[in-house]
Amino acid sequence: MRRPLVMGNWKMNGSLSSNDSLLHALSRQLKDLDSVDVAVCPPFIYLPQAIDLCESTRVRVGAQNMSDQDSGAYTGEVSGDMLRELGCTYVLVGHSERRTLYGETDQAVAAKTEKALEAGLVPVLCVGETLEERQSGEMESVIGRQVKAVLERCAISSFTQIVIAYEPVWAIGTGETATPSQAQAVHAYIRQLLAAEDAEIAERCTILYGGSVNEKSAKSLFSMADVDGGLVGGASLKADSFSAICRAAAQSL
């Protein structure tokens, strides 16, 4: 059985004081929850603080992005080795906001995934379609293209170490959420893509749902057979809400 994972993507939010309060509250509220893996992804500047505060807790820390280069004249970039040395466990790659706002291509995302693996990080590969792509019947081709770009670069064996996060672009930050059946259909399709290469690895791969997940929608989403947890946005900035989502993941077992 796949172990549930719930991750909080703070995006460009937080402060030293609010982070301290949030992480201390999460530590208290999640101290007895040992059946679910939990992680938070703060902005780069707050990673040392988060890693220090989470050191003796059940919460792990990830970064929101990384470079596809090892080192060099890349002003403003951060390498996978730097993140791992700092103490990060996870790193998001290919989040829809990186693809849409900053023009990251499938090939760039695949290169980042490869570098994350080389650095010993767990890449969380984000894939998903826009509303226009879904309405025009392109959802499967879009997600297939995004997943296959990583398969071609990293091979199916890498998916024992890669987490996939399905995030319908039309449901991110909008308050809209895919229905449980919509999420399940896409997660099953992603698993089928992997199974075409290796059925055992496909069955082991963790696939998260990300798209305005909150404490009200979490239980029904996580009850789906191929939904293994969530990549949570705004609700991860509130300890009570995020803890409730983590407990919903535990109840899905």
Side-chain angles (χ1 to χ4, degrees):
M1 179 179 290
R2 295 178 297 272
R3 183 178 171 88
L5 169 63
V6 179
M7 302 186 70
N9 177 14
W10 293 3
K11 305 192 180 183
M12 197 172 71
N13 294 291
S15 68
L16 290 173
S17 60
S18 66
N19 301 345
D20 186 87
S21 298
L22 173 58
L23 292 173
H24 274 103
L26 286 177
S27 175
R28 291 192 303 272
Q29 295 179 23
L30 299 176
K31 65 180 180 179
D32 297 324
L33 193 69
D34 58 4
S35 59
V36 176
D37 291 328
V38 180
V40 294
C41 298
F44 282 134
I45 197 169
Y46 297 131
L47 286 172
Q49 179 197 25
I51 290 166
D52 181 60
L53 290 173
C54 293
E55 183 176 9
S56 59
T57 75
R58 297 188 181 281
V59 182
R60 302 278 70 83
V61 178
Q64 297 178 17
N65 188 30
M66 61 168 281
S67 176
D68 61 358
Q69 302 294 323
D70 292 323
S71 63
Y74 302 100
T75 301
E77 292 294 311
V78 175
S79 74
D81 286 338
M82 293 174 181
L83 296 174
R84 185 60 181 166
E85 182 180 39
L86 196 62
C88 288
T89 302
Y90 301 93
V91 61
L92 305 182
V93 290
H95 189 280
S96 64
E97 290 161 0
R98 299 298 311 177
R99 294 178 188 262
T100 302
L101 300 177
Y102 300 99
E104 291 190 5
T105 64
D106 295 335
Q107 289 67 38
V109 173
K112 290 185 178 189
T113 304
E114 182 179 48
K115 289 298 182 184
L117 291 167
E118 290 175 358
L121 296 165
V122 176
V124 181
L125 171 63
C126 301
V127 300
E129 81 286 3
T130 65
L131 181 61
E132 181 180 3
E133 289 166 340
R134 171 171 278 269
Q135 291 177 336
S136 62
E138 298 178 80
M139 181 271 291
E140 289 191 356
S141 63
V142 169
I143 292 174
R145 185 193 73 224
Q146 293 169 343
V147 172
K148 288 174 183 177
V150 177
L151 276 169
E152 290 171 2
R153 180 142 190 160
C154 302
I156 185 62
S157 58
S158 298
F159 282 80
T160 59
Q161 304 168 68
I162 294 172
V163 171
I164 298 177
Y166 167 57
E167 41 165 28
V169 180
W170 47 272
I172 297 174
T174 64
E176 296 292 330
T177 306
T179 65
S181 60
Q182 285 176 322
Q184 167 59 24
V186 179
H187 282 228
Y189 171 67
I190 293 170
R191 210 173 295 283
Q192 288 169 12
L193 289 174
L194 301 180
E197 302 289 331
D198 189 303
E200 182 180 350
I201 290 176
E203 187 58 29
R204 291 167 55 190
C205 184
T206 297
I207 306 178
L208 309 180
Y209 173 78
S212 297
V213 180
N214 56 48
E215 59 269 40
K216 294 180 180 179
S217 62
K219 184 177 180 179
S220 57
L221 285 166
F222 297 164
S223 69
M224 297 292 102
D226 289 295
V227 179
D228 304 319
L231 178 59
V232 184
S236 69
L237 299 172
K238 301 174 183 177
D240 290 347
S241 296
F242 191 58
S243 296
I245 293 169
C246 293
R247 293 193 181 282
Q251 293 169 6
S252 69
L253 293 170

